[in-house]
Amino acid sequence: MKRLEDYVRSIPDFPEPGIIFRDVTTILQDADGLELAINQLRDSLQDLDFDVVVGPESRGFIFGVPIAYLLHKGFVPVRKKGKLPCETVSMEYDLEYGSAVIEMHKDSIKPGQKVVIIDDLIATGGTTEAIIKLIESLGGEVVKICFVMELAGLNGREKLSGYEVYSAITYEGH
């Protein structure tokens, strides 16, 4: 029986020498790999009391929506600035080279709602930290954060200390 990491393609020296790029698309392309990823994320939420799943575009949508569907929860998208049609709240965060802005609809999280964040990858944790700030600014409570993959060498968990974090696969390097 294959493990989830067996479905991940590793590309050496991309985007620069010394980096091993972990490609999640090979999980998505294989029915068994996709099923295994979704099942592991779903199983990590067993017996957890929560109201809604939040996922950032685009791969957070891919993994978050099936979880929301399977557990009969709503799904709230987090998008890049300017992509949502109604009134939004926004948060700027740092990238490796520059910054970015993400947004959520202002009415997407109700005060007191318990929220699970789902995404494909945690690297430095900046995007997820910004998502947490958005959720909390709307009165939501982040009760768990789930990732398919974690690049532990980039120390993203440090930005998420105080929150329960689950990663289906952990790679020690960058």
Side-chain angles (χ1 to χ4, degrees), residues 31-70:
D32 292 333
L34 180 58
E35 181 180 37
L36 189 56
I38 297 300
N39 287 345
Q40 285 186 21
L41 292 171
R42 181 203 59 213
D43 292 349
S44 77
L45 298 171
Q46 291 299 112
D47 303 318
L48 181 67
D49 178 29
F50 71 100
D51 303 302
V52 66
V53 173
V54 168
E57 68 177 282
S58 64
R59 292 175 303 258
F61 293 9
I62 293 169
F63 292 103
V65 168
I67 301 304
Y69 172 80
L70 288 170

Side-chain angles (χ1 to χ4, degrees), residues 17-112:
I19 301 294
I20 300 174
F21 184 84
R22 306 297 182 177
D23 186 6
V24 73
T25 64
T26 49
I27 292 173
L28 300 172
Q29 293 167 354
D30 189 287
D32 292 333
L34 180 58
E35 181 180 37
L36 189 56
I38 297 300
N39 287 345
Q40 285 186 21
L41 292 171
R42 181 203 59 213
D43 292 349
S44 77
L45 298 171
Q46 291 299 112
D47 303 318
L48 181 67
D49 178 29
F50 71 100
D51 303 302
V52 66
V53 173
V54 168
E57 68 177 282
S58 64
R59 292 175 303 258
F61 293 9
I62 293 169
F63 292 103
V65 168
I67 301 304
Y69 172 80
L70 288 170
L71 299 177
H72 196 70
K73 307 292 181 183
F75 179 83
V76 174
V78 175
R79 307 251 3 232
K80 294 173 183 150
K81 185 175 179 63
K83 299 291 185 180
L84 294 170
C86 293
E87 188 176 0
T88 61
V89 291
S90 63
M91 184 67 56
E92 184 173 358
Y93 64 101
D94 292 328
L95 299 169
E96 188 173 355
Y97 303 104
S99 64
V101 178
I102 55 172
E103 296 181 324
M104 294 172 63
H105 279 136
K106 192 172 187 176
D107 62 357
S108 62
I109 301 293
K110 311 294 184 268

Side-chain angles (χ1 to χ4, degrees), residues 108-130:
S108 62
I109 301 293
K110 311 294 184 268
Q113 276 191 313
K114 294 177 180 166
V115 179
V116 168
I117 300 170
I118 296 181
D119 203 359
D120 70 320
L121 175 73
I122 178 174
T124 64
T127 304
T128 305
E129 182 182 41

